[in-house]
Structures are given as structure tokens and as C-alpha cells.
Amino acid sequence: MAETVTPAVNDAPVPASTRRERSGWYLYDWAMSAFSTTVITVFLGPFLTTVTELAAGCELGADTCAGYVYPLGVKVAAGSYFPYLVSLSVLLTVFVLPVIGAIADRSAHKKRLLAVAAFTGAAATIGMLFVTGERYLLGGALFVIANIAFGAGVVVYNSFLPQLGGPDERDGISSRGWALGYLGGGVLLGLNLVAVTLFSEEGNAQRTLDLARWSIVSAGVWWAVFTLVPMRWLREHPTATALRGGNPISGGFRQLGRTLREIKAYPLTLFFLLAFLVYNDGIQTVIALASQYGTEELKLGQSTLIVTILLVQFLAFGGALLLGALARRIGAWKTVLISLVLWTGVILGAFRLPAEAPVPFMILGAAIGLVLGGSQALSRSLFSQLIPAGKEGEYYGFYEISDKGTSWLGPLAFGIVFQLTNSYRVGLVSLLIFFVVGFLLLLAVPIRRAIVAAGNTPPRVL
């Protein structure tokens, strides 16, 4: 029997957006993706792990390190330090990002908020230039600041999406933004690959460490420079709440309190968010720790890792557009479900990868690229349909808690399993649960009814 859909009653008219404005929105993804690709995915994990191992008394370039460091007096295995930092940064974002979203909803100057977040994150990333010797604590502090600022910027950035197009346009807009982000991240990563290839020296571990540091710094510069374009091209679309005036900070805290009390009125939106938090936790853990898995478990060189991640970036550009086209035919909900089945296959394939074998690792990277961009872009646009009008920033604050390298359960599970077993492969297997449970939760969401319950009009195809 066909589902009866009650007409939405709270739909707000979507302000007209220009091609220039949408292009500016796409270009912020181009700017910020350098951080998630060059920093999070490739260089920072091995770089900060090496610095931490030096602080633990291990020799530079040693194949294995069983040493420990003691940040704030807590005993931490050197190999677990970076995963624990990822978890710490996300625990802090639980408090920061929803507040940022509430302030964005009440502010008539969202572009300023975006600029503050972007330039703070870029400055912290550039500050990695000073993480030398055994300064693992400085590196950890800068990473936490940059990662929180990155998440805050994405909250504000995502809150522009419902104002750029109607229900039938958002999948395409989101997919193009995500695709351009992967392309931008790939371009910078390609430049870093050239630098590593030209200037590295066989057996010179210090040179490799220095090249990684400068590659991280380049991502901060890239992020800052290209953020200048969306600052000029994006337009403000203040909500009715913002136009009423008042202090956006104090008003944002009050609005967040009201939303936390009223959010139970949208149980289906919460159920979708729960599903997303689970499966995206798995995706983000793969992104954040793939480089560390490749170097520590598979014993692959930095050049192999960079080539593979570069392959992922460019294939993710096409994959985002491809899955976006598929979503136009069968709907975003079904397309995301298909992508989660493919992600499960990726984890099983990664577990069976042989050590010191670059080609199988690259093939697996190609598979990741084809599903990565689409699953993320379509999740973002699908969630935009479930947000009550005027609360985009707040809801994307909750959404971003587990998005783009800020997940915490996955890295925490990975770090604990490694500390208990000293095996990265066993840690990897622990991630399967996130994709399986996330798939089952998303499958249980009555998506059309959830959109109507939020007061919005469903797209023609779901």
C-alpha cells in the first residue's frame, strides 16, 4: 500500500541563490578538504606517532616501538596517542559544535563565523611547523584546536545548504560540493607527493619527518588562502530569528536549550541521526587511521600511502557525482544503504591485505574512493530534509559531532583493541560493527514520514 503523505505545514520558502553563490559554497569544500586529506588522512597520524615515539625513548626510524608517554600523568602507548587525541577532540566538540550551530541560526553574519573557524583552524595547522624533536604535547594541542575549528567551520558551512536549493536540488548541490572538495584535497596532496618524491632520501628518517611537517603546514596555508573566495561570493540569508536582532551568543545558548527540550518532538530525525553517528563513525575512523594502518601494520612507505590516498581523492570526485546520479534515479536513502554494504566489503578486504604489498592496498583504495564521497554527500543532503526550518545550524552541530574526522567511538575502540592486542588488524575488525549496526538502523528509518514530520516537503524520489 502506498504511504499517505500529509502536506508539510512549516516549509519556509527557499531564497533564490545564484550560481556565483553556489560556486563560493563549493569552494569552501575545496579549501577545507586539504586539512582532512593531507593532515588527517595522510601525514598527521604517522608524523605525530613518530614524534610521540621519540618522546617515549624509541629511535627514529625503528620498525617497532613498545614505548609509553605520560601526558598529564596518564600512561599511553605511543601507537595509541593519536587515536586517543581524535577521541578527545570529538568529546570536546560535543559541547562546542551545537552551541556554534545555535549561534549561527541567530546570527545575521554567518560568514563571519565561518571565517573565524576557518582561520583559527588554519593557524593551528600552520603552527605544526614548531612541532619538532619530542614536542608531542604541542602537536596534540594544535591538532585538537584545529580539529575543533574544522568541525565548527563545517557546521556553519553545512547550514548554508538548505538556503541554496529546494528538496529536489540538494542532493546534486551537496554531491558537487563534496566532489570539488575531494578534487581540491587531491590537488594539494599531489603537490605534496611531488615534494616527497623529489626531496626524500633513502634511509633518512629525519628528512621524511621534516617533509611530513611541511606538508601539514601547506594544508593550513591552502585552507586559509582559498577561504578568501567564499568569503566574497557567499551571501547572507538571515533567518526570521536572526532578523529580530538581539545578542546572537546569549540568544544562541537560550535557543540551544529550547531545542534540547523540544528535540524529542522529532523522534524520526533523532533516529536518523543515531544511524548516521554509528555508520559515519566507522567511515571517519577508516579515514583517520588508514595511514597509520598502512605504515605500522602493512609496512608500506610514505610514497605508497600518498599515491593511494591521491587515488582515493580523484576517484571520490567521480564517485560522489556517480552516486549523486544514482540517487536521482533510486533516491538518496537507498543509495546510502548500498554504500554501507560496500563499506563492509572494504573492511573485510583491508583485514586480508598482505604486508609490504603496495598494489592490493591501492586497489582497496580505489574501492574506497568510489563509495566514500557519495555516502557522505548524500547523508548530508538527506539530513537537510529532516531539519525543522530555522534550526539548520543547531542540527548540523549535532550532525557534525561525528563527521569529517571527528568521530570518537571508532578511534577509541581501535586504540583500546591495539593496546590490548598490539595488533592493528584486530583493531580494524572492531570497525565492522559500526557499518552493520548503522545499516540496520538506517534501514529502519521511515524516511518519507520523517521528512514530513519535520515540517518539510519530501523530494520526488527517496
Side-chain angles (χ1 to χ4, degrees), residues 33 41 91 107 173 180 209 249 293 315 317 325 408 418 420 434:
S33 290
T41 307
L91 289 176
S107 174
I173 292 173
L180 194 63
L209 192 65
I249 297 178
Y293 181 74
L315 284 177
F317 169 77
W408 66 278
F418 173 79
L420 293 175
F434 294 96

Side-chain angles (χ1 to χ4, degrees), residues 237-263:
H237 293 282
T239 63
T241 302
L243 290 173
R244 285 197 291 268
N247 188 315
I249 297 178
S250 60
F253 275 101
R254 289 194 297 270
Q255 179 176 320
L256 178 60
R258 287 194 296 270
T259 296
L260 290 174
R261 292 191 297 270
E262 298 168 0
I263 197 170

Side-chain angles (χ1 to χ4, degrees), residues 410 413-415 417-418 421 423-432:
F414 192 97
V417 171
F418 173 79
T421 66
S423 171
Y424 286 99
R425 289 186 189 271
V426 178
L428 188 69
V429 172
S430 70
L431 303 182
L432 276 177

Side-chain angles (χ1 to χ4, degrees), residues 335-348:
T335 305
V336 174
L337 286 170
I338 291 172
S339 75
L340 295 181
V341 174
L342 298 175
W343 270 111
T344 302
V346 164
I347 295 298
L348 293 174

